[in-house]
Amino acid sequence: MSVQREIDRIRSNIAAAYEAVAEKNGTLPALQDSANLASAIASIPFSPTRIYGVAWTDPQSARLTRTDRAAAFPDPVPAVGNGAGTSPFDHCYPWSGMKKVTEGDNVLVEIPKFWVKVSQNPFSIRIADKPVEGYQVSPAHRDRGDGQGERDAVYIGRYECDAAFCSRSGQEVLGTTNFKTFREGVSALGGTYWQADYPLQLTVWFLYLVEFASWDGQAVIGQGNVSSGEKLPTGGTDAMTYHTGRPEGVDGTTPMQYRWIENLWGNVREFRDGIIFSDESVCTYQNPAQYVNDFNGAGAVLRTNKRPLADGCITEWDCDEADASFIFPSATGETGPVPDKYQYRTGVRVMNVGGYFNSGEKGGPFAVITFYAAQNIYGSLGSRLQRLPDHG
C-alpha cells in the first residue's frame, strides 16, 4: 500500500472520530491540539471497518436511500465553474483516495481498492474500506487471472482517447474508429494499458451511486455535453478547482466531471471492453489479454443475466447468480426510474456507455448501448483507456 493511501485512511479515521464525538454531543478539540484529539480518538470504540451504502427502496423513484455510515449524510453539492463544491464523502475512503496522476503522456485518475456487497431484493450497494465477510473486492481491482493478483489501485483516463489513444488535455476526441482499433491502439501504449472495460465501469458506477444516491446523474451533477451538436475537445474542466461538477455555461452544452473523470457521460459514447452480447445472452472476459470481439471465446464467462430485448429507460437491474457484483439492466420501459437510454439490437454486439453530443436528457451515467457491432464506426463513438499496474 502506498504512503498516500495510508494517509487517506488516517484522515478518514480522524473524520470518523469527529463524527462519533459529535454524535455523542461531545466537545471537539482543536485540530492543532494533538493531545486532546488523541484523547478523543482513544475514547471512541471504533469499528475496524467503515461501510457506506444505498438501497433502492422505491423502485419507481430515481432516488436511493442512504444506509450504514452514510445514512445521515447530506447530498453532495457539485461545483459550477470555479465555485466550491462539497461532499460528505470527501474524507471517506475510497473516495478520498481518488486523485489525478500523470504517467508519461497520460493524465489518469487513481481509484484505490475497496470492497463491495451488492444485493438484489431490495437492490442495494455497500462499499467497505477494508475486507469484510460477504464482500467482494471491487470488480476493477480483483484478480484478473493475469498473474498480478488483486491490485491496490487501478487508473482510468481522465480524458477520452485522442488520436494517439492517450488521455491528454487540449486534444480532439478520437471518433470514427472501431472497437478493435481502439483496443489495439491503447494496448500499444504499453503492457499495463488497456481499453476501459466493464469491470472498471461497474467500479465507477458503485462509487457514484453510493455517493450521490440517485440514478439520475444528469440531474444531480450536470447533463454533460449532450445538446451542443458537436464534440468538445478534452480539458474543458481543467480550470475547475473542485473534482465534481461542470464549467460555467448552458447545462447540456458543457463538459462535466465526476471525481476528476472528465465526460464520464456526454460528448461521445464510449466503448467498454470485456463484455460481448449475442441476442439476449451476455458473456464477459476478466483478463484483458483475452479480450476479443467474439462471443463466448477462450476465457469467457457466460452470465446468468439476460439482455433486455427492447429499447427504453431502465426499470430493473439483475445480478449474476455466481457474482452479485456483476449487474446489468434486466427490464426496460417507455419511462422509468433510471432515465438514461438503453438500446438493443439483435446479433453479436459490443457495449457503449454514456450519451453523446446529441443524446439529450437520456445520456447520463447509466446509458447502456448494446446496439453497435464491433466493426461499426461513427463520429459519436469514442473510448477511454485504463491502466492496470503490475506488482513488479
Side-chain angles (χ1 to χ4, degrees):
M1 178 179 293
S2 74
V3 172
Q4 184 59 52
R5 282 194 289 277
E6 184 60 21
I7 290 172
D8 290 334
R9 287 183 184 274
I10 292 170
R11 286 175 174 163
S12 181
N13 285 343
I14 292 172
Y18 270 72
E19 286 177 20
V21 171
E23 287 170 3
K24 296 176 183 294
N25 296 315
T27 301
L28 302 179
L31 279 173
Q32 65 270 21
D33 190 342
S34 59
N36 285 346
L37 178 58
S39 176
I41 293 174
S43 70
I44 298 166
F46 284 107
S47 166
T49 305
R50 280 165 293 281
I51 296 172
Y52 311 90
V54 288
W56 197 13
T57 55
D58 181 358
Q60 304 305 312
S61 173
R63 292 289 304 178
L64 291 83
T65 302
R66 299 189 185 280
T67 65
D68 304 280
R69 290 189 67 88
F73 280 8
D75 287 337
V77 179
V80 177
N82 289 328
T86 63
S87 172
F89 292 85
D90 281 344
H91 300 292
C92 300
Y93 182 92
W95 296 269
S96 61
M98 294 179 69
K99 59 182 183 291
K100 292 181 289 186
V101 298
T102 300
E103 297 278 351
D105 290 334
N106 292 297
V107 183
L108 312 172
V109 176
E110 178 177 332
I111 304 174
K113 180 166 69 174
F114 61 90
W115 289 260
V116 64
K117 182 177 183 179
V118 182
S119 301
Q120 184 73 54
N121 293 307
F123 182 87
S124 64
I125 300 167
R126 288 180 168 86
I127 286 176
D129 64 350
K130 299 180 182 68
V132 185
E133 184 176 355
Y135 283 61
Q136 301 170 272
V137 173
S138 114
H141 297 84
R142 67 186 54 164
D143 189 342
R144 297 300 195 101
D146 57 1
Q148 298 298 320
E150 295 177 4
R151 288 173 166 88
D152 289 336
V154 297
Y155 300 84
I156 183 172
R158 168 158 159 72
Y159 309 109
E160 303 112 313
C161 286
D162 62 20
F165 303 98
C166 291
S167 171
R168 300 181 294 184
S169 180
Q171 304 294 311
E172 182 180 352
V173 175
L174 181 62
T176 59
T177 303
N178 68 33
F179 188 53
K180 181 181 179 182
T181 301
F182 271 117
R183 180 193 299 133
E184 293 174 344
V186 173
S187 295
L189 299 178
T192 62
Y193 282 93
W194 309 94
Q195 181 168 220
D197 59 14
Y198 196 59
L200 181 65
Q201 187 69 25
L202 290 170
T203 291
V204 174
W205 274 347
F206 295 153
L207 289 164
Y208 160 80
L209 274 173
V210 172
E211 182 170 10
F212 277 88
S214 174
W215 293 110
D216 193 349
Q218 289 184 298
V220 297
I221 296 180
Q223 290 187 36
N225 178 33
V226 294
S227 303
S228 74
E230 60 182 0
K231 286 187 293 187
L232 300 177
T234 61
T237 61
D238 284 357
M240 295 181 65
T241 56
Y242 192 65
H243 51 65
T244 297
R246 63 177 181 85
E248 296 279 1
V250 177
D251 194 14
T253 65
T254 70
M256 55 73 60
Q257 64 179 5
Y258 171 65
R259 296 229 163 235
W260 304 122
I261 307 169
E262 183 177 277
N263 291 329
L264 184 60
W265 58 85
N267 213 37
V268 292
R269 288 172 169 165
E270 297 178 18
F271 287 116
R272 287 296 179 261
D273 220 330
I275 184 167
I276 304 286
F277 310 94
S278 179
D279 295 329
E280 67 174 357
S281 297
V282 181
C283 85
T284 62
Y285 298 83
Q286 188 74 359
N287 184 347
Q290 295 177 315
Y291 288 175
V292 292
N293 298 350
D294 303 324
F295 180 81
N296 200 24
V301 175
L302 280 175
R303 299 293 183 169
T304 59
N305 309 66
K306 298 300 181 183
R307 184 168 60 133
L309 303 182
D311 295 357
C313 295
I314 299 167
T315 58
E316 296 178 23
W317 294 77
D318 196 13
C319 300
D320 179 62
E321 292 176 3
D323 177 4
S325 70
F326 181 88
I327 64 170
F328 197 79
S330 56
T332 59
E334 289 188 14
T335 61
V338 185
D340 298 331
K341 190 171 188 177
Y342 168 87
Q343 279 188 286
Y344 164 87
R345 181 175 280 185
T346 58
V348 176
R349 302 290 159 177
V350 296
M351 181 173 176
N352 301 84
V353 294
Y356 72 105
F357 48 82
N358 271 333
S359 291
E361 295 181 356
K362 293 185 178 181
F366 300 98
V368 173
I369 311 301
T370 65
F371 182 87
Y372 299 105
Q375 67 270 21
N376 288 161
I377 296 174
Y378 292 94
S380 59
L381 302 183
S383 194
R384 191 180 298 261
L385 60 77
Q386 67 180 354
R387 181 172 177 264
L388 304 178
D390 291 342
H391 281 168

